[in-house]
Amino acid sequence: GALLLVAGGDAKSGGRAALFELSTGRELLAPRHGRDQLFGAALSPGRSLLALGGPTRRVEVLRTRDGGVHYELRAHGDWVLT
């Protein structure tokens, strides 16, 4: 079915991403994310990885099955916006 991936938050309360199934409104995935807001999120085609970016100048790639960090990209020179 159709899915909706959202990401956001604020600097005070931190960031959050969530994946919803549109037909039911059910939240399928909501991994915890660090102390800062999120500006972008992307789901891999097989739905096994979730990439998150924000003002930390890193892209964190999480495993959707357990929320663990699969890898990080730290070489970004500025905020990751999308």
Side-chain angles (χ1 to χ4, degrees):
L3 302 174
L4 174 66
L5 176 61
V6 296
D10 60 50
K12 183 177 179 182
S13 61
R16 183 170 185 265
L19 180 67
F20 296 93
E21 182 177 51
L22 289 180
S23 62
T24 64
R26 188 171 66 119
E27 187 176 89
L28 302 176
L29 176 69
R32 278 188 65 111
H33 188 55
R35 298 180 193 137
D36 218 332
Q37 61 214 27
L38 294 172
F39 295 148
L43 189 64
S44 69
R47 299 184 190 165
S48 63
L49 298 173
L50 176 65
L52 303 172
T56 61
R57 299 184 312 181
R58 290 186 329 227
V59 176
E60 288 188 304
V61 180
L62 308 178
R63 294 181 301 273
T64 58
R65 73 174 183 273
D66 62 8
V69 176
H70 186 65
Y71 61 90
E72 285 186 12
L73 301 172
R74 295 179 180 229
H76 206 279
D78 204 350
W79 290 6
V80 180
L81 300 176
T82 59

